[in-house]
Amino acid sequence: MSDTRRRVKVYTLNEDRQWDDRGTGHVSSTFVERLKGISLLVRAESDGSLLLESKISPNTAYQKQQDTLIVWSEADNYDLALSFQEKAGCDEIWEKICQVQGKDPAVDITQDPIDESEEERFEEIPETSHLVELPPCELGRLEEIADLVTSVLSSPIRREKLALALMSEGYIKKLLGLFRVCEDLDNREGLHHLYEIVRGVLFLNKAALFEVMFSDDCIMDVVGCLEYDPSLVQPKRHREFLTKTAKFKEVIPITDSELRQKIHQTYRVQYIQDIILPTPSVFEENFLSTLTSFIFFNKVEIVSMLQEDEKFLTEVFAQLTDEATDDSKRRELVNFVKEFCAFSQTLQPQNRDAFFKTLANLGILPALEIVMGMDDLQVRAAATDIFSYLVEFSPSMVREFVMQEPQQTDDDVLLINVVIKQMICDSDPELGGAVQLMGLLRTLIDPENMLASTNKTEKTEFLSFFYKYCMHVLTAPLLTCSGECCLHIHKGFSHTYTFLLLCLSFSKSSFMSCLTP
């Protein structure tokens, strides 16, 4: 199947409650004789191998999230997710799942999950006796609502019932309307109850509720509710920070409004999780797993959207290397690339490979060669961090680039020589930059991590290149150091000496032949 509607990524939730990428393929729904039922099949787009074979069980709770995700559990601690490239494909498969289960495709969850430990307890009780009934959304009922939300958190079944009630009655927006009223009246008791309510609703761990709470017209009111922690003498000023202190800088104008909205949303939700919400207790540790997944899939989508916008990234690198770009602008650009690379670390290996290959194709290494040699310390520090991401991702990619440089440039401005000079001349009293660069250089010339290279001659060619074009730069502090200087051992000499010892530890024969006249 070649159409993009059914193109999906398969994810499984690991023991650390993080999503692992199992591959990209195309999904279909078909009858599988061996499983005796309609099943979801995903075949890898690379080789046609079977990535997923899952029977659509009548009793499994499937959830549709963020328009392009279908999530379900097949067994204890084994959660699966299909992330669709297009909403249309997600809708088609969702309709098939609902058809098999006899459900209305308009719902976002097909079943009410039953916790096995409670199944027997509720077996003889009529269904209506454990439905959660919400009090009217009124100022005078806030304490009652807070007590109800808090009371259901220990019961998986009641959490599900409350979540369904909140979604079906548009209750969240009504509550946030009461928040604005309480603030206008300076009703601290009501605001404290709303803190407990909103915190409890987040702990219901439901993506459908998050979609409402984190929408543009609701999220700042959610943040506002979470400012009024009853344990604090004075409320926090999280909204003031998000609206006035935290500034969104567009180093290059983002024309895609959906992308801009997704970036804002992800930053704010991450802030809620990391800064506003208290560290969960052991009892609460799994209550926010869906929130973590919400942020994760948002980040995947942001990185993918930026990768696909070649005009945006091309302009970033063009301005980054343009001599006419002023210092402050260049600092913003290089910090953006640094944050972009850091963002990519949330991706699974397959996604990360595509990410760095895109950057390589756009010329990130030639750009680093320019900015790492600049006088601006902040620019150089950020460029070093970017360089470390690239070396960690693929030392071979960096080696391949630097071996092509002598044909195009002088020895003095070779990327590795720029790195060596920064290591030798590090102005940091703590020498943090020099130590970081020394580790990166060691990685690049260590023959042990060349053994897995597909290029069998990489070891010989790169080490020959290094000794021919770079060793004289590395040994310069040693060769020019007087006896008096040696007694004082300045920083450049010290780090050169240490690095040469490292070289000797894993490349003795080649190293000694280089120093032999």
Side-chain angles (χ1 to χ4, degrees), residues 56-80:
I56 301 175
S57 170
N59 300 317
T60 296
Y62 293 87
Q63 294 185 55
K64 187 168 71 165
Q65 304 174 7
Q66 302 184 45
D67 289 334
T68 56
L69 284 172
I70 296 177
V71 182
W72 72 97
S73 298
E74 291 216 333
D76 290 342
N77 300 319
Y78 187 66
D79 290 358
L80 288 161

Short mmCIF file of all heavy atoms in Angstrom, two decimals, residues 56-80:
data_model
loop_
_atom_site.label_atom_id
_atom_site.label_comp_id
_atom_site.label_asym_id
_atom_site.label_seq_id
_atom_site.Cartn_x
_atom_site.Cartn_y
_atom_site.Cartn_z
N ILE A 56 -8.44 -7.22 16.55
CA ILE A 56 -9.33 -6.23 17.16
C ILE A 56 -10.27 -6.97 18.11
O ILE A 56 -11.22 -7.62 17.68
CB ILE A 56 -10.13 -5.45 16.10
CG1 ILE A 56 -9.17 -4.73 15.13
CG2 ILE A 56 -11.05 -4.43 16.77
CD1 ILE A 56 -9.88 -4.04 13.98
N SER A 57 -9.96 -6.88 19.39
CA SER A 57 -10.75 -7.60 20.39
C SER A 57 -12.01 -6.82 20.74
O SER A 57 -11.96 -5.60 20.90
CB SER A 57 -9.90 -7.83 21.64
OG SER A 57 -10.71 -8.31 22.70
N PRO A 58 -13.14 -7.50 20.91
CA PRO A 58 -14.39 -6.80 21.26
C PRO A 58 -14.31 -6.09 22.60
O PRO A 58 -15.06 -5.16 22.85
CB PRO A 58 -15.42 -7.94 21.30
CG PRO A 58 -14.83 -9.04 20.48
CD PRO A 58 -13.35 -8.94 20.67
N ASN A 59 -13.41 -6.54 23.50
CA ASN A 59 -13.36 -5.98 24.85
C ASN A 59 -12.19 -5.04 25.09
O ASN A 59 -12.02 -4.54 26.21
CB ASN A 59 -13.30 -7.12 25.88
CG ASN A 59 -14.50 -8.04 25.79
OD1 ASN A 59 -15.63 -7.57 25.67
ND2 ASN A 59 -14.27 -9.34 25.82
N THR A 60 -11.37 -4.79 24.07
CA THR A 60 -10.22 -3.91 24.24
C THR A 60 -10.64 -2.45 24.15
O THR A 60 -11.46 -2.09 23.29
CB THR A 60 -9.15 -4.20 23.16
OG1 THR A 60 -8.66 -5.53 23.34
CG2 THR A 60 -7.98 -3.22 23.28
N ALA A 61 -10.11 -1.63 25.03
CA ALA A 61 -10.41 -0.19 25.01
C ALA A 61 -9.42 0.50 24.07
O ALA A 61 -8.23 0.61 24.37
CB ALA A 61 -10.30 0.40 26.41
N TYR A 62 -9.90 0.93 22.92
CA TYR A 62 -9.09 1.70 21.97
C TYR A 62 -9.38 3.19 22.18
O TYR A 62 -10.54 3.57 22.39
CB TYR A 62 -9.42 1.32 20.53
CG TYR A 62 -9.02 -0.09 20.16
CD1 TYR A 62 -9.88 -1.16 20.39
CD2 TYR A 62 -7.79 -0.35 19.56
CE1 TYR A 62 -9.53 -2.46 20.05
CE2 TYR A 62 -7.44 -1.65 19.21
CZ TYR A 62 -8.30 -2.70 19.46
OH TYR A 62 -7.94 -3.97 19.11
N GLN A 63 -8.33 4.01 22.13
CA GLN A 63 -8.51 5.46 22.26
C GLN A 63 -7.97 6.17 21.04
O GLN A 63 -6.88 5.82 20.55
CB GLN A 63 -7.77 5.99 23.49
CG GLN A 63 -8.31 5.49 24.82
CD GLN A 63 -7.60 6.15 25.98
OE1 GLN A 63 -7.55 7.37 26.08
NE2 GLN A 63 -7.06 5.33 26.87
N LYS A 64 -8.70 7.15 20.57
CA LYS A 64 -8.21 8.01 19.49
C LYS A 64 -7.78 9.34 20.11
O LYS A 64 -8.57 9.99 20.79
CB LYS A 64 -9.28 8.24 18.42
CG LYS A 64 -8.73 9.00 17.20
CD LYS A 64 -9.69 8.97 16.01
CE LYS A 64 -10.91 9.82 16.25
NZ LYS A 64 -11.66 10.09 15.00
N GLN A 65 -6.53 9.74 19.84
CA GLN A 65 -5.97 10.94 20.45
C GLN A 65 -5.37 11.85 19.38
O GLN A 65 -4.76 11.37 18.43
CB GLN A 65 -4.87 10.58 21.47
CG GLN A 65 -5.32 9.63 22.57
CD GLN A 65 -4.17 9.21 23.46
OE1 GLN A 65 -3.06 9.71 23.36
NE2 GLN A 65 -4.45 8.27 24.35
N GLN A 66 -5.52 13.15 19.58
CA GLN A 66 -4.87 14.17 18.74
C GLN A 66 -5.13 13.98 17.24
O GLN A 66 -4.30 14.35 16.42
CB GLN A 66 -3.36 14.19 19.02
CG GLN A 66 -3.01 14.45 20.46
CD GLN A 66 -1.52 14.55 20.70
OE1 GLN A 66 -0.81 15.21 19.95
NE2 GLN A 66 -1.03 13.89 21.73
N ASP A 67 -6.25 13.36 16.89
CA ASP A 67 -6.69 13.18 15.49
C ASP A 67 -5.87 12.19 14.69
O ASP A 67 -6.33 11.67 13.67
CB ASP A 67 -6.69 14.52 14.74
CG ASP A 67 -7.81 15.44 15.19
OD1 ASP A 67 -8.83 14.91 15.68
OD2 ASP A 67 -7.67 16.66 15.06
N THR A 68 -4.63 11.89 15.10
CA THR A 68 -3.78 11.00 14.28
C THR A 68 -3.18 9.86 15.10
O THR A 68 -2.23 9.22 14.65
CB THR A 68 -2.65 11.79 13.61
OG1 THR A 68 -1.90 12.49 14.62
CG2 THR A 68 -3.18 12.77 12.59
N LEU A 69 -3.68 9.61 16.30
CA LEU A 69 -3.16 8.54 17.14
C LEU A 69 -4.27 7.58 17.56
O LEU A 69 -5.37 8.01 17.90
CB LEU A 69 -2.53 9.12 18.42
CG LEU A 69 -1.16 9.78 18.33
CD1 LEU A 69 -0.84 10.46 19.65
CD2 LEU A 69 -0.09 8.76 17.99
N ILE A 70 -3.94 6.29 17.53
CA ILE A 70 -4.82 5.28 18.12
C ILE A 70 -3.98 4.50 19.12
O ILE A 70 -2.92 3.98 18.77
CB ILE A 70 -5.41 4.33 17.05
CG1 ILE A 70 -6.33 5.12 16.10
CG2 ILE A 70 -6.19 3.20 17.71
CD1 ILE A 70 -6.91 4.28 14.97
N VAL A 71 -4.44 4.44 20.38
CA VAL A 71 -3.68 3.85 21.47
C VAL A 71 -4.53 2.77 22.13
O VAL A 71 -5.73 2.95 22.33
CB VAL A 71 -3.27 4.92 22.50
CG1 VAL A 71 -2.43 4.31 23.62
CG2 VAL A 71 -2.51 6.06 21.84
N TRP A 72 -3.89 1.64 22.52
CA TRP A 72 -4.62 0.59 23.24
C TRP A 72 -3.62 -0.29 23.99
O TRP A 72 -2.41 -0.21 23.78
CB TRP A 72 -5.46 -0.24 22.28
CG TRP A 72 -4.71 -1.18 21.37
CD1 TRP A 72 -4.49 -2.51 21.55
CD2 TRP A 72 -4.09 -0.85 20.10
NE1 TRP A 72 -3.78 -3.04 20.49
CE2 TRP A 72 -3.52 -2.04 19.59
CE3 TRP A 72 -3.94 0.32 19.38
CZ2 TRP A 72 -2.83 -2.08 18.38
CZ3 TRP A 72 -3.25 0.29 18.18
CH2 TRP A 72 -2.71 -0.90 17.69
N SER A 73 -4.16 -1.12 24.88
CA SER A 73 -3.34 -2.08 25.64
C SER A 73 -3.74 -3.49 25.24
O SER A 73 -4.93 -3.81 25.21
CB SER A 73 -3.56 -1.90 27.14
OG SER A 73 -3.15 -0.62 27.56
N GLU A 74 -2.75 -4.31 24.96
CA GLU A 74 -3.03 -5.70 24.59
C GLU A 74 -2.86 -6.65 25.76
O GLU A 74 -3.38 -7.73 25.77
CB GLU A 74 -2.11 -6.14 23.45
CG GLU A 74 -2.42 -5.44 22.15
CD GLU A 74 -2.22 -6.35 20.95
OE1 GLU A 74 -1.40 -7.26 21.04
OE2 GLU A 74 -2.89 -6.13 19.94
N ALA A 75 -2.06 -6.25 26.73
CA ALA A 75 -1.83 -7.07 27.92
C ALA A 75 -1.33 -6.14 29.01
O ALA A 75 -1.13 -4.95 28.79
CB ALA A 75 -0.80 -8.17 27.63
N ASP A 76 -1.14 -6.70 30.21
CA ASP A 76 -0.62 -5.87 31.31
C ASP A 76 0.71 -5.27 30.90
O ASP A 76 1.63 -5.97 30.44
CB ASP A 76 -0.42 -6.73 32.56
CG ASP A 76 -1.76 -7.15 33.15
OD1 ASP A 76 -2.77 -6.52 32.81
OD2 ASP A 76 -1.78 -8.11 33.95
N ASN A 77 0.84 -3.95 31.08
CA ASN A 77 2.09 -3.23 30.80
C ASN A 77 2.56 -3.38 29.36
O ASN A 77 3.76 -3.35 29.09
CB ASN A 77 3.21 -3.71 31.75
CG ASN A 77 2.85 -3.48 33.21
OD1 ASN A 77 2.29 -2.44 33.54
ND2 ASN A 77 3.15 -4.45 34.05
N TYR A 78 1.63 -3.57 28.43
CA TYR A 78 2.02 -3.63 27.02
C TYR A 78 1.08 -2.74 26.22
O TYR A 78 0.03 -3.20 25.77
CB TYR A 78 2.01 -5.06 26.49
CG TYR A 78 2.56 -5.19 25.09
CD1 TYR A 78 3.91 -4.93 24.84
CD2 TYR A 78 1.75 -5.53 24.01
CE1 TYR A 78 4.43 -5.03 23.55
CE2 TYR A 78 2.26 -5.63 22.73
CZ TYR A 78 3.61 -5.38 22.51
OH TYR A 78 4.13 -5.47 21.24
N ASP A 79 1.44 -1.49 26.12
CA ASP A 79 0.63 -0.52 25.40
C ASP A 79 1.16 -0.32 23.99
O ASP A 79 2.38 -0.32 23.77
CB ASP A 79 0.62 0.83 26.12
CG ASP A 79 -0.16 0.77 27.43
OD1 ASP A 79 -0.70 -0.31 27.74
OD2 ASP A 79 -0.21 1.78 28.14
N LEU A 80 0.24 -0.14 23.04
CA LEU A 80 0.60 0.07 21.64
C LEU A 80 0.00 1.37 21.14
O LEU A 80 -1.03 1.82 21.64
CB LEU A 80 0.07 -1.09 20.79
CG LEU A 80 0.77 -2.44 20.95
CD1 LEU A 80 -0.12 -3.56 20.43
CD2 LEU A 80 2.09 -2.46 20.19
#
